[in-house]
Amino acid sequence: MARTPAGAARERILATAFRLFYTYGPRGVGVDTVIAESGVAKATLYKHFPSKDDLVLAYLEKVDRAWSGALREAARAAGDDPRAQLVGMFDALTGACRREGYHGCAFINTAAESPAGGPVHARTVEHKNAVRAWVTDLARQAGAAEPELLARQLTLVLDGGLAGGVLDADPAVAEAARRSAQALVDAALPTC
């Protein structure tokens, strides 16, 4: 049997964990299942991820890159105006909620099953804080009198849209979230 380069084995483990953790939650998937489904030896998994928390953290990092990238891309697609970007970022919900196998926000799901104070829970909080900081910056650029408040409101609607997409399995959830965001932005940034 040919040897697999170390990077390829790591990526195969991570891709398998990503699929399984997103579908069943990190708590619902044992390391032995990841090993079996990725086709690597136990020693190989532990070489790359010394603990299950290390594997979950790598999974969350991958989710963070994908979701933060989707939000920023949707905002950029709305144009150069920060006001439009605050609403445009909600277009990322449309793609997420329509994806086959959609199970909501990986960070909220993981936080719900992780003990507070641990490294996994801390990473979920870090992600949410980073998204809110980015939205706060957009709100500040758009001229909001209370950019932190507007960002908090918009990220709550965003998280609600992610959850609603799972509960309702209806693409209309994304549109409702977008309209809510538009109302919040219009209230916080009245046109002259």
Side-chain angles (χ1 to χ4, degrees), residues 13-32:
I13 294 164
L14 190 52
T16 301
F18 185 95
R19 177 177 49 82
L20 293 171
F21 290 170
Y22 186 68
T23 302
Y24 304 108
R27 185 182 280 176
V29 179
V31 172
D32 289 339

Side-chain angles (χ1 to χ4, degrees), residues 73-143:
E73 186 176 315
R76 278 191 301 272
D80 293 332
D81 179 17
R83 179 187 182 119
Q85 290 179 354
L86 287 167
V87 177
M89 72 177 174
F90 281 80
D91 290 340
L93 273 177
T94 302
C97 293
R98 289 188 176 157
R99 191 177 65 238
E100 182 68 31
Y102 176 71
H103 296 286
C105 177
F107 286 92
I108 293 171
N109 297 343
T110 301
E113 63 178 43
S114 301
V120 170
H121 192 270
R123 181 62 180 98
T124 65
V125 172
E126 178 186 316
H127 166 79
K128 292 299 181 180
N129 287 341
V131 170
R132 193 169 51 252
W134 171 68
V135 176
T136 299
D137 186 51
L138 281 178
R140 192 172 286 114
Q141 290 175 42

